[in-house]
Amino acid sequence: MAITLWQYLQYLKYFAVALLLLIGFIIVYLRITPMAELKLIKQGNIACATSLSGAMTGFCITLISSMLQSVSLISFIIWGVAAMIVQILVYFIATLLIPKANQELANNNIAVGILFFGLSIAIGILNAAALS
């Protein structure tokens, strides 16, 4: 099967927008969380790395579904922003489950990081399924 120039340009367009949405998500996520995750991750904090990785992966799972289901680039962007909001809400809900969760993550409580990872992935999968 030959790929046309138009198909390749569509691929590049959707991939570029997905990357921009992911970068936007990471920026928002890092700003709304009270700890300096990147600094902590550079210092070897596995809990923060796990939590952030789960949030990014959960978000990307939903982006995949919205990319497959969208009828236009605008529709994809709208669903991508909706996915971003859902994943950020997951973070805030997760902090309600664990008292002082942010401090636990900053103190490298790996169990809390894994819980946040799992919640983010689970909600990302459910969110993606709801789009299909």
Side-chain angles (χ1 to χ4, degrees):
M1 178 174 107
I3 296 175
T4 66
L5 178 60
W6 184 83
Q7 290 170 316
Y8 185 68
L9 292 175
Q10 286 292 99
Y11 157 77
L12 289 176
K13 182 170 58 172
Y14 275 81
F15 186 72
V17 170
L19 281 178
L20 289 174
L21 285 167
L22 177 60
I23 291 166
F25 171 74
I26 293 167
I27 289 168
V28 169
Y29 188 90
L30 292 174
R31 291 207 179 181
I32 59 111
T33 56
M35 64 225 145
E37 277 103 336
L38 294 180
K39 179 181 175 188
L40 291 167
I41 291 167
K42 286 178 187 175
Q43 295 171 353
N45 187 309
I46 296 168
C48 284
T50 303
S51 177
L52 180 59
S53 295
M56 291 186 302
T57 304
F59 177 67
C60 285
I61 289 168
T62 306
L63 275 186
I64 292 166
S65 183
S66 62
M67 198 180 294
L68 292 171
Q69 301 300 323
S70 294
V71 294
S72 68
L73 188 63
I74 297 298
S75 153
F76 170 55
I77 293 168
I78 290 168
W79 286 115
V81 171
M84 187 181 304
I85 292 166
V86 168
Q87 284 301 126
I88 288 170
L89 287 174
V90 168
Y91 171 81
F92 285 115
I93 292 167
T95 61
L96 297 175
L97 295 173
I98 305 289
K100 300 180 183 176
N102 294 319
Q103 189 59 44
E104 294 292 336
L105 287 170
N107 291 337
N108 202 20
N109 184 329
I110 297 170
V112 173
I114 292 170
L115 175 66
F116 276 44
F117 177 91
L119 286 171
S120 294
I121 298 296
I123 296 303
I125 292 168
L126 291 175
N127 198 12
L131 284 168
S132 56

